[in-house]
């Protein structure tokens, strides 16, 4: 008789727990929907936003990313943004631009630049790229061709505000348009090169916008 009573009590407790879990799941889903505007894109993501990039990590696993800072860049009439944050104690930088109804997104897990000499280029080569402004110009790095995209003065707005700080930049893209290289020259500093991976917007899932 005692076992039957115990069984009934456990069954009741189990039912109560299941109901509470369902209620919690419903609340979490409602909170998530409240945080996400309809058809949310990376344009909606601000500081505190949460997103996942599928297959981006070194072992091709999904990478979760919490946005800690949003910076803005401008070159002439062009404008793009940089989301910075941390994934497993590693800094991540995502740059996105929206032009003619399309996103162009790049990401890198390191903002530590390397010297121009590692590209096999000299300052005179950059001057020529700048003067020609031809996308047919290219150079090779480790047997891979990188084509000139554009160059010019860029203004950087940290935290998307303030008067901004200017620097000069040259942009290059590989043949299959999966990787980009950016050469930057800030006043008083040597040339620095940064490498990024091109990301398809469809591989980004947004969980929270801010």
């Amino acid at each position: 008789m005692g076992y039957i009573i115990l069984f009934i009590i456990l069954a009741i407790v189990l039912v109560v727990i299941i109901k509470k879990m369902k209620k919690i799941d419903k609340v979490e889903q409602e909170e998530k929907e409240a945080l996400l505007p309809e058809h949310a894109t990376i344009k909606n993501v601000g500081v505190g936003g949460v997103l996942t990039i599928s297959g981006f990590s070194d072992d091709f696993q999904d990478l979760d990313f919490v946005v800690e800072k949003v910076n803005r860049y401008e070159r002439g009439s062009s404008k793009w943004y940089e989301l910075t944050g941390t994934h497993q104690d590693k800094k991540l930088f995502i740059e996105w631009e929206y032009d003619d109804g399309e996103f162009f997104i790049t990401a890198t897990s390191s903002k530590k630049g390397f010297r121009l000499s590692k590209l096999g280029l000299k300052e005179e080569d950059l001057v020529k790229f700048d003067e020609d402004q031809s996308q047919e110009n290219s150079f090779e790095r480790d047997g891979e061709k990188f084509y000139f995209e554009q160059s010019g003065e860029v203004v950087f707005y940290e935290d998307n505000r303030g008067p901004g700080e200017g620097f000069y930049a040259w942009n290059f893209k590989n043949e299959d348009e999966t990787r980009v290289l950016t050469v930057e020259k800030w006043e008083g500093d040597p040339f620095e090169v940064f490498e990024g991976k091109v990301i398809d917007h469809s591989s980004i899932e947004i969980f929270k916008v801010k």
Side-chain angles (χ1 to χ4, degrees):
M1 184 69 177
Y3 289 110
I4 295 175
I5 295 174
L6 180 61
F7 178 79
I8 293 173
I9 293 173
L10 289 174
I12 293 173
V13 171
L14 182 61
V15 170
V16 171
I17 290 174
I18 291 173
K19 285 184 177 180
K20 284 186 176 180
M21 290 179 65
K22 286 183 177 179
K23 186 176 181 180
I24 291 172
D25 288 342
K26 183 179 179 181
V27 170
E28 289 180 345
Q29 180 63 30
E30 289 175 350
E31 288 179 347
K32 179 179 176 181
E33 290 174 355
L35 290 169
L36 289 178
E38 187 178 5
H39 308 304
T41 70
I42 198 170
K43 290 196 297 182
N44 305 112
V45 179
V47 175
V50 181
L51 51 85
T52 294
I53 306 177
S54 60
F56 180 77
S57 64
D58 294 336
D59 55 358
F60 301 102
Q61 297 298 310
D62 293 350
L63 185 149
D64 300 317
F65 178 72
V66 179
V67 178
E68 298 171 352
K69 181 182 287 191
V70 178
N71 303 316
R72 185 174 90 250
Y73 293 86
E74 292 184 5
R75 175 194 277 139
S77 60
S78 297
K79 181 189 301 182
W80 66 98
Y81 296 85
E82 177 183 66
L83 311 181
T84 72
T86 305
H87 172 77
Q88 296 180 352
D89 299 323
K90 196 173 186 179
K91 278 289 186 182
L92 184 69
F93 303 83
I94 301 175
E95 291 189 14
W96 67 266
E97 182 177 6
Y98 189 73
D99 186 38
D100 291 333
E102 293 186 358
F103 283 101
F104 181 71
I105 304 171
T106 62
T108 178
S109 56
S110 174
K111 200 65 173 179
K112 184 178 180 181
F114 53 90
R115 295 304 171 90
L116 185 63
S117 57
K118 287 192 174 182
L119 294 182
L121 295 178
K122 297 180 180 179
E123 184 174 351
E124 305 90 84
D125 299 314
L126 295 179
V127 171
K128 186 176 188 326
F129 285 136
D130 198 45
E131 291 175 345
D132 292 347
Q133 290 293 312
S134 171
Q135 295 186 352
E136 293 183 0
N137 286 342
S138 65
F139 67 93
E140 284 195 13
R141 183 194 179 205
D142 298 329
E144 184 176 23
K145 267 192 174 184
F146 282 84
Y147 288 87
F148 173 84
E149 284 290 309
Q150 59 183 331
S151 64
E153 186 173 0
V154 177
V155 182
F156 171 69
Y157 298 88
E158 188 171 9
D159 293 317
N160 195 21
R161 63 187 181 207
E165 185 177 1
F167 66 96
Y168 212 85
W170 292 258
N171 300 105
F172 303 88
K173 191 184 297 183
N174 68 347
E175 287 190 276
D176 60 6
E177 300 187 349
T178 57
R179 290 196 299 146
V180 295
L181 289 171
T182 301
V183 180
E184 295 184 2
K185 181 64 174 74
W186 295 72
E187 186 176 356
D189 293 331
F191 290 95
E192 277 194 293
V193 184
F194 301 93
E195 186 169 6
K197 179 180 179 181
V198 178
I199 302 295
D200 192 298
H201 188 264
S202 63
S203 68
I204 297 176
E205 186 174 1
I206 300 166
F207 294 95
K208 184 179 178 182
V209 294
K210 61 180 179 178

mmCIF file of all heavy atoms in Angstrom, residues 67-95:
data_model
loop_
_atom_site.group_PDB
_atom_site.id
_atom_site.type_symbol
_atom_site.label_atom_id
_atom_site.label_comp_id
_atom_site.label_asym_id
_atom_site.label_seq_id
_atom_site.Cartn_x
_atom_site.Cartn_y
_atom_site.Cartn_z
ATOM 1 N N VAL A 67 27.872 40.459 -28.830
ATOM 2 C CA VAL A 67 28.423 41.742 -29.286
ATOM 3 C C VAL A 67 28.742 42.637 -28.097
ATOM 4 O O VAL A 67 27.881 42.927 -27.264
ATOM 5 C CB VAL A 67 27.434 42.450 -30.235
ATOM 6 C CG1 VAL A 67 27.994 43.800 -30.672
ATOM 7 C CG2 VAL A 67 27.148 41.574 -31.443
ATOM 8 N N GLU A 68 30.000 43.070 -28.029
ATOM 9 C CA GLU A 68 30.444 43.944 -26.946
ATOM 10 C C GLU A 68 30.617 45.394 -27.401
ATOM 11 O O GLU A 68 30.592 46.313 -26.588
ATOM 12 C CB GLU A 68 31.774 43.432 -26.385
ATOM 13 C CG GLU A 68 31.660 42.029 -25.789
ATOM 14 C CD GLU A 68 33.010 41.429 -25.444
ATOM 15 O OE1 GLU A 68 34.040 42.054 -25.804
ATOM 16 O OE2 GLU A 68 33.042 40.345 -24.839
ATOM 17 N N LYS A 69 30.815 45.583 -28.699
ATOM 18 C CA LYS A 69 31.040 46.936 -29.211
ATOM 19 C C LYS A 69 30.633 46.993 -30.681
ATOM 20 O O LYS A 69 30.772 46.011 -31.410
ATOM 21 C CB LYS A 69 32.515 47.321 -29.062
ATOM 22 C CG LYS A 69 32.849 48.719 -29.545
ATOM 23 C CD LYS A 69 34.339 49.026 -29.414
ATOM 24 C CE LYS A 69 34.723 49.241 -27.981
ATOM 25 N NZ LYS A 69 36.115 49.790 -27.881
ATOM 26 N N VAL A 70 30.115 48.145 -31.103
ATOM 27 C CA VAL A 70 29.781 48.377 -32.514
ATOM 28 C C VAL A 70 30.527 49.621 -32.974
ATOM 29 O O VAL A 70 30.324 50.714 -32.437
ATOM 30 C CB VAL A 70 28.269 48.564 -32.726
ATOM 31 C CG1 VAL A 70 27.977 48.846 -34.202
ATOM 32 C CG2 VAL A 70 27.499 47.335 -32.270
ATOM 33 N N ASN A 71 31.405 49.455 -33.973
ATOM 34 C CA ASN A 71 32.144 50.578 -34.554
ATOM 35 C C ASN A 71 31.641 50.854 -35.970
ATOM 36 O O ASN A 71 31.055 49.983 -36.617
ATOM 37 C CB ASN A 71 33.646 50.258 -34.604
ATOM 38 C CG ASN A 71 34.202 49.924 -33.233
ATOM 39 O OD1 ASN A 71 33.909 50.592 -32.247
ATOM 40 N ND2 ASN A 71 35.008 48.873 -33.156
ATOM 41 N N ARG A 72 31.896 52.064 -36.452
ATOM 42 C CA ARG A 72 31.459 52.436 -37.799
ATOM 43 C C ARG A 72 32.645 52.911 -38.622
ATOM 44 O O ARG A 72 33.572 53.538 -38.094
ATOM 45 C CB ARG A 72 30.412 53.550 -37.722
ATOM 46 C CG ARG A 72 29.815 53.926 -39.080
ATOM 47 C CD ARG A 72 28.681 54.928 -38.933
ATOM 48 N NE ARG A 72 29.119 56.321 -38.993
ATOM 49 C CZ ARG A 72 29.128 57.158 -37.969
ATOM 50 N NH1 ARG A 72 28.761 56.761 -36.761
ATOM 51 N NH2 ARG A 72 29.516 58.422 -38.124
ATOM 52 N N TYR A 73 32.628 52.579 -39.917
ATOM 53 C CA TYR A 73 33.641 53.041 -40.858
ATOM 54 C C TYR A 73 32.938 53.766 -42.006
ATOM 55 O O TYR A 73 31.843 53.377 -42.425
ATOM 56 C CB TYR A 73 34.425 51.870 -41.451
ATOM 57 C CG TYR A 73 35.291 51.108 -40.472
ATOM 58 C CD1 TYR A 73 34.759 50.078 -39.709
ATOM 59 C CD2 TYR A 73 36.646 51.394 -40.326
ATOM 60 C CE1 TYR A 73 35.544 49.353 -38.814
ATOM 61 C CE2 TYR A 73 37.450 50.675 -39.449
ATOM 62 C CZ TYR A 73 36.890 49.659 -38.696
ATOM 63 O OH TYR A 73 37.670 48.948 -37.814
ATOM 64 N N GLU A 74 33.591 54.794 -42.541
ATOM 65 C CA GLU A 74 33.056 55.496 -43.699
ATOM 66 C C GLU A 74 34.168 55.804 -44.690
ATOM 67 O O GLU A 74 35.268 56.200 -44.306
ATOM 68 C CB GLU A 74 32.377 56.811 -43.273
ATOM 69 C CG GLU A 74 31.108 56.610 -42.474
ATOM 70 C CD GLU A 74 30.412 57.912 -42.137
ATOM 71 O OE1 GLU A 74 30.881 58.972 -42.617
ATOM 72 O OE2 GLU A 74 29.403 57.885 -41.411
ATOM 73 N N ARG A 75 33.855 55.580 -45.955
ATOM 74 C CA ARG A 75 34.765 55.948 -47.048
ATOM 75 C C ARG A 75 33.906 56.596 -48.123
ATOM 76 O O ARG A 75 33.140 55.920 -48.812
ATOM 77 C CB ARG A 75 35.503 54.734 -47.605
ATOM 78 C CG ARG A 75 36.375 55.091 -48.830
ATOM 79 C CD ARG A 75 36.814 53.851 -49.576
ATOM 80 N NE ARG A 75 37.975 53.243 -48.968
ATOM 81 C CZ ARG A 75 38.149 51.925 -48.820
ATOM 82 N NH1 ARG A 75 37.200 51.111 -49.221
ATOM 83 N NH2 ARG A 75 39.248 51.445 -48.276
ATOM 84 N N GLY A 76 34.003 57.913 -48.258
ATOM 85 C CA GLY A 76 33.141 58.606 -49.213
ATOM 86 C C GLY A 76 31.684 58.398 -48.826
ATOM 87 O O GLY A 76 31.278 58.644 -47.696
ATOM 88 N N SER A 77 30.879 57.892 -49.763
ATOM 89 C CA SER A 77 29.461 57.633 -49.492
ATOM 90 C C SER A 77 29.225 56.237 -48.922
ATOM 91 O O SER A 77 28.093 55.906 -48.566
ATOM 92 C CB SER A 77 28.652 57.801 -50.788
ATOM 93 O OG SER A 77 29.110 56.888 -51.777
ATOM 94 N N SER A 78 30.286 55.429 -48.857
ATOM 95 C CA SER A 78 30.146 54.066 -48.327
ATOM 96 C C SER A 78 30.242 54.059 -46.806
ATOM 97 O O SER A 78 30.999 54.825 -46.206
ATOM 98 C CB SER A 78 31.241 53.155 -48.902
ATOM 99 O OG SER A 78 31.130 53.043 -50.299
ATOM 100 N N LYS A 79 29.478 53.152 -46.203
ATOM 101 C CA LYS A 79 29.460 53.040 -44.746
ATOM 102 C C LYS A 79 29.344 51.560 -44.374
ATOM 103 O O LYS A 79 28.565 50.825 -44.970
ATOM 104 C CB LYS A 79 28.269 53.821 -44.198
ATOM 105 C CG LYS A 79 28.128 53.815 -42.681
ATOM 106 C CD LYS A 79 26.810 54.432 -42.242
ATOM 107 C CE LYS A 79 26.664 55.875 -42.719
ATOM 108 N NZ LYS A 79 25.393 56.479 -42.238
ATOM 109 N N TRP A 80 30.134 51.131 -43.402
ATOM 110 C CA TRP A 80 30.011 49.761 -42.918
ATOM 111 C C TRP A 80 30.309 49.716 -41.427
ATOM 112 O O TRP A 80 30.815 50.677 -40.850
ATOM 113 C CB TRP A 80 30.901 48.806 -43.706
ATOM 114 C CG TRP A 80 32.385 48.991 -43.573
ATOM 115 C CD1 TRP A 80 33.236 48.309 -42.758
ATOM 116 C CD2 TRP A 80 33.210 49.911 -44.309
ATOM 117 N NE1 TRP A 80 34.532 48.745 -42.925
ATOM 118 C CE2 TRP A 80 34.538 49.714 -43.877
ATOM 119 C CE3 TRP A 80 32.950 50.877 -45.279
ATOM 120 C CZ2 TRP A 80 35.609 50.456 -44.378
ATOM 121 C CZ3 TRP A 80 34.008 51.615 -45.774
ATOM 122 C CH2 TRP A 80 35.322 51.401 -45.330
ATOM 123 N N TYR A 81 29.956 48.597 -40.820
ATOM 124 C CA TYR A 81 30.036 48.486 -39.364
ATOM 125 C C TYR A 81 30.880 47.283 -38.947
ATOM 126 O O TYR A 81 31.000 46.308 -39.686
ATOM 127 C CB TYR A 81 28.633 48.356 -38.764
ATOM 128 C CG TYR A 81 27.789 49.585 -38.986
ATOM 129 C CD1 TYR A 81 27.067 49.749 -40.172
ATOM 130 C CD2 TYR A 81 27.719 50.594 -38.029
ATOM 131 C CE1 TYR A 81 26.299 50.882 -40.396
ATOM 132 C CE2 TYR A 81 26.950 51.736 -38.248
ATOM 133 C CZ TYR A 81 26.248 51.872 -39.428
ATOM 134 O OH TYR A 81 25.496 53.001 -39.646
ATOM 135 N N GLU A 82 31.423 47.380 -37.748
ATOM 136 C CA GLU A 82 32.226 46.310 -37.178
ATOM 137 C C GLU A 82 31.645 45.927 -35.816
ATOM 138 O O GLU A 82 31.512 46.768 -34.928
ATOM 139 C CB GLU A 82 33.673 46.774 -37.006
ATOM 140 C CG GLU A 82 34.581 45.747 -36.345
ATOM 141 C CD GLU A 82 35.976 46.305 -36.133
ATOM 142 O OE1 GLU A 82 36.121 47.251 -35.322
ATOM 143 O OE2 GLU A 82 36.916 45.814 -36.784
ATOM 144 N N LEU A 83 31.275 44.651 -35.679
ATOM 145 C CA LEU A 83 30.810 44.123 -34.401
ATOM 146 C C LEU A 83 31.972 43.382 -33.757
ATOM 147 O O LEU A 83 32.585 42.519 -34.380
ATOM 148 C CB LEU A 83 29.639 43.160 -34.605
ATOM 149 C CG LEU A 83 28.481 43.625 -35.497
ATOM 150 C CD1 LEU A 83 27.405 42.549 -35.560
ATOM 151 C CD2 LEU A 83 27.891 44.931 -34.997
ATOM 152 N N THR A 84 32.277 43.713 -32.519
ATOM 153 C CA THR A 84 33.370 43.032 -31.834
ATOM 154 C C THR A 84 32.828 42.339 -30.590
ATOM 155 O O THR A 84 31.866 42.787 -29.968
ATOM 156 C CB THR A 84 34.485 44.013 -31.421
ATOM 157 O OG1 THR A 84 34.023 44.828 -30.332
ATOM 158 C CG2 THR A 84 34.885 44.904 -32.582
ATOM 159 N N GLY A 85 33.451 41.221 -30.252
ATOM 160 C CA GLY A 85 33.020 40.463 -29.083
ATOM 161 C C GLY A 85 33.995 39.341 -28.796
ATOM 162 O O GLY A 85 35.089 39.283 -29.365
ATOM 163 N N THR A 86 33.597 38.434 -27.911
ATOM 164 C CA THR A 86 34.480 37.360 -27.476
ATOM 165 C C THR A 86 33.778 36.017 -27.601
ATOM 166 O O THR A 86 32.595 35.891 -27.279
ATOM 167 C CB THR A 86 34.909 37.572 -26.009
ATOM 168 O OG1 THR A 86 35.481 38.867 -25.873
ATOM 169 C CG2 THR A 86 35.933 36.520 -25.589
ATOM 170 N N HIS A 87 34.521 35.028 -28.070
ATOM 171 C CA HIS A 87 34.038 33.646 -28.120
ATOM 172 C C HIS A 87 35.111 32.758 -27.500
ATOM 173 O O HIS A 87 36.227 32.666 -28.021
ATOM 174 C CB HIS A 87 33.764 33.215 -29.565
ATOM 175 C CG HIS A 87 33.455 31.749 -29.696
ATOM 176 N ND1 HIS A 87 32.230 31.226 -29.355
ATOM 177 C CD2 HIS A 87 34.220 30.711 -30.108
ATOM 178 C CE1 HIS A 87 32.248 29.922 -29.559
ATOM 179 N NE2 HIS A 87 33.446 29.589 -30.017
ATOM 180 N N GLN A 88 34.779 32.155 -26.365
ATOM 181 C CA GLN A 88 35.723 31.275 -25.672
ATOM 182 C C GLN A 88 37.084 31.957 -25.478
ATOM 183 O O GLN A 88 38.125 31.447 -25.867
ATOM 184 C CB GLN A 88 35.884 29.955 -26.440
ATOM 185 C CG GLN A 88 34.602 29.147 -26.511
ATOM 186 C CD GLN A 88 34.771 27.839 -27.263
ATOM 187 O OE1 GLN A 88 35.818 27.589 -27.862
ATOM 188 N NE2 GLN A 88 33.758 27.003 -27.235
ATOM 189 N N ASP A 89 37.038 33.141 -24.884
ATOM 190 C CA ASP A 89 38.242 33.915 -24.569
ATOM 191 C C ASP A 89 39.020 34.364 -25.807
ATOM 192 O O ASP A 89 40.191 34.747 -25.711
ATOM 193 C CB ASP A 89 39.186 33.128 -23.643
ATOM 194 C CG ASP A 89 38.528 32.794 -22.315
ATOM 195 O OD1 ASP A 89 37.765 33.636 -21.817
ATOM 196 O OD2 ASP A 89 38.765 31.701 -21.790
ATOM 197 N N LYS A 90 38.381 34.320 -26.964
ATOM 198 C CA LYS A 90 39.038 34.731 -28.202
ATOM 199 C C LYS A 90 38.238 35.849 -28.848
ATOM 200 O O LYS A 90 37.020 35.741 -29.014
ATOM 201 C CB LYS A 90 39.146 33.533 -29.152
ATOM 202 C CG LYS A 90 40.122 33.722 -30.291
ATOM 203 C CD LYS A 90 40.272 32.412 -31.056
ATOM 204 C CE LYS A 90 41.362 32.518 -32.113
ATOM 205 N NZ LYS A 90 41.541 31.243 -32.851
ATOM 206 N N LYS A 91 38.915 36.941 -29.187
ATOM 207 C CA LYS A 91 38.239 38.074 -29.810
ATOM 208 C C LYS A 91 37.765 37.725 -31.217
ATOM 209 O O LYS A 91 38.446 37.013 -31.956
ATOM 210 C CB LYS A 91 39.173 39.281 -29.879
ATOM 211 C CG LYS A 91 39.258 40.089 -28.598
ATOM 212 C CD LYS A 91 37.966 40.854 -28.351
ATOM 213 C CE LYS A 91 38.089 41.774 -27.143
ATOM 214 N NZ LYS A 91 36.797 42.464 -26.891
ATOM 215 N N LEU A 92 36.600 38.259 -31.570
ATOM 216 C CA LEU A 92 36.061 38.063 -32.909
ATOM 217 C C LEU A 92 35.613 39.408 -33.451
ATOM 218 O O LEU A 92 35.085 40.248 -32.716
ATOM 219 C CB LEU A 92 34.880 37.095 -32.884
ATOM 220 C CG LEU A 92 34.285 36.728 -34.237
ATOM 221 C CD1 LEU A 92 35.267 35.865 -35.032
ATOM 222 C CD2 LEU A 92 32.981 35.977 -34.072
ATOM 223 N N PHE A 93 35.835 39.623 -34.754
ATOM 224 C CA PHE A 93 35.494 40.891 -35.400
ATOM 225 C C PHE A 93 34.672 40.586 -36.658
ATOM 226 O O PHE A 93 35.114 39.849 -37.535
ATOM 227 C CB PHE A 93 36.754 41.658 -35.784
ATOM 228 C CG PHE A 93 37.658 41.936 -34.616
ATOM 229 C CD1 PHE A 93 38.548 40.969 -34.174
ATOM 230 C CD2 PHE A 93 37.609 43.148 -33.952
ATOM 231 C CE1 PHE A 93 39.386 41.212 -33.095
ATOM 232 C CE2 PHE A 93 38.439 43.404 -32.866
ATOM 233 C CZ PHE A 93 39.329 42.435 -32.439
ATOM 234 N N ILE A 94 33.482 41.149 -36.734
ATOM 235 C CA ILE A 94 32.608 40.956 -37.892
ATOM 236 C C ILE A 94 32.340 42.317 -38.518
ATOM 237 O O ILE A 94 31.851 43.230 -37.851
ATOM 238 C CB ILE A 94 31.268 40.311 -37.493
ATOM 239 C CG1 ILE A 94 31.497 38.953 -36.835
ATOM 240 C CG2 ILE A 94 30.366 40.150 -38.717
ATOM 241 C CD1 ILE A 94 30.233 38.323 -36.300
ATOM 242 N N GLU A 95 32.650 42.460 -39.796
ATOM 243 C CA GLU A 95 32.351 43.699 -40.520
ATOM 244 C C GLU A 95 31.238 43.426 -41.523
ATOM 245 O O GLU A 95 31.270 42.407 -42.223
ATOM 246 C CB GLU A 95 33.599 44.218 -41.245
ATOM 247 C CG GLU A 95 34.677 44.737 -40.301
ATOM 248 C CD GLU A 95 35.803 45.443 -41.032
ATOM 249 O OE1 GLU A 95 35.628 45.761 -42.229
ATOM 250 O OE2 GLU A 95 36.858 45.670 -40.414
#
